[in-house]
Amino acid sequence: MLNDRLNVIPSAPLTISAGYLGYWCDDEVEYQWILYEEDKDAGWIEILNDPRYSKVFSLDPKTLKDNTKYRLELTVLLANGTPSTSVQVFKTAILPRDGSCTITPDTGEAVYTSFELFCFGWFALNETFTYEVQIIGGGDIHFTLYYGLVDKLQLVLPQGNASNGYLSFVKVFVSRSNGATSELDIPVTVCFFFLASLVMALYGVIMVTKLCQVSKKEKILNRLAILKKKRQLPDTV
């Protein structure tokens, strides 16, 4: 059973467990799960037929669409072939939508530059959004920089990946009060920074500027390389 059949969160994993009480302990029982999605024109369309015959049905985050009605059909097959069917209809919640988040400037220096993150335009009726901001470090480790209700922040960021032109991605999760969450990745170039006195004494002030002088073409190529790795873009991109 679902706790709230009208408010299933599509951005979260979904797990449903079934049990059948009318069989002996040594009887073999199989569970067949079929998931349908409602289409305004075609009616119920089968989108998933789980072949594992497990009593646990699970879906990964983002498998379901938001604001959509689904029909989950469970058929319990006894050892003698007798079927017993149960149906559950549910609807997914509306995710935060139509909004954006920006970081300015899009290039700066680690520890030194104050970056401004601004989230705006997110839609859901009568809703206060919660924002979680993370930076993705080495080994795909996520570090939380902020969690709260403020939509405009000043951030100091660590150095980006030098092998990718110091490019980093700031991940922002925008959540409704019911837990429905949208996320986006914002690219930002964060270069290495020397202390001003050390730079002036050893390399000259110009060195600080040069460390962040990545050409527009280099930025585009670096970001395409990252996106290709994350999204498996074709080589022709």
Side-chain angles (χ1 to χ4, degrees):
M1 294 294 292
L2 296 168
N3 292 330
D4 188 348
R5 294 187 295 109
L6 300 179
N7 195 36
V8 174
I9 309 301
S11 55
L14 175 66
T15 301
I16 302 175
S17 180
Y20 186 75
L21 303 179
Y23 69 97
W24 298 97
C25 293
D26 56 352
D27 282 347
E28 292 185 2
V29 178
E30 294 181 345
Y31 300 86
Q32 182 179 16
W33 304 86
I34 302 178
L35 182 64
Y36 301 86
E37 180 181 304
E38 185 182 50
D39 183 273
K40 293 181 179 180
D41 299 321
W44 293 108
I45 300 175
E46 180 180 323
I47 61 171
L48 179 63
N49 192 326
D50 194 336
R52 296 172 296 174
Y53 296 105
S54 169
K55 68 177 182 179
V56 177
F57 176 80
S58 60
L59 293 175
D60 292 331
K62 304 178 184 178
T63 301
L64 303 176
K65 300 177 183 177
D66 77 325
N67 196 30
T68 303
K69 188 179 291 185
Y70 292 90
R71 181 175 183 264
L72 181 61
E73 182 179 292
L74 167 63
T75 300
V76 179
L77 301 173
L78 305 180
N80 60 9
T82 303
S84 176
T85 300
S86 175
V87 174
Q88 182 83 69
V89 177
F90 63 92
K91 186 176 182 180
T92 52
I94 299 175
L95 295 176
R97 58 177 59 177
D98 302 332
S100 182
C101 293
T102 61
I103 289 182
T104 53
D106 63 357
T107 299
E109 296 161 355
V111 185
Y112 177 76
T113 301
S114 178
F115 294 92
E116 181 180 88
L117 170 68
F118 181 39
C119 294
F120 56 93
W122 293 98
F123 171 79
L125 293 176
N126 302 319
E127 192 71 60
T128 299
F129 295 106
T130 300
Y131 303 93
E132 181 174 359
V133 182
Q134 298 181 352
I135 187 74
I136 305 174
D140 200 33
I141 299 176
H142 292 212
F143 300 93
T144 298
L145 302 177
Y146 174 78
Y147 181 86
L149 303 177
V150 178
D151 58 8
K152 181 180 289 188
L153 301 168
Q154 298 297 321
L155 301 173
V156 175
L157 301 176
Q159 176 185 318
N161 190 336
S163 62
N164 290 312
Y166 298 100
L167 184 65
S168 291
F169 282 91
V170 174
K171 183 176 287 291
V172 182
F173 298 89
V174 183
S175 301
R176 297 179 56 194
S177 58
N178 62 8
T181 302
S182 296
E183 63 180 85
L184 42 77
D185 293 329
I186 308 174
V188 58
T189 301
V190 187
C191 305
F192 184 72
F193 173 71
F194 286 108
L195 291 176
S197 59
L198 180 60
V199 173
M200 293 177 67
L202 300 179
Y203 302 99
V205 178
I206 298 177
M207 183 64 180
V208 177
T209 304
K210 287 185 177 180
L211 286 171
C212 275
Q213 282 183 340
V214 181
S215 69
K216 183 176 181 181
K217 179 179 178 180
E218 288 174 318
K219 286 183 181 179
I220 294 174
L221 291 176
N222 288 332
R223 294 184 183 183
L224 284 177
I226 295 297
L227 291 173
K228 179 181 176 183
K229 182 178 179 181
K230 290 167 69 68
R231 303 179 184 176
Q232 297 183 338
L233 295 178
D235 292 334
T236 55
V237 175

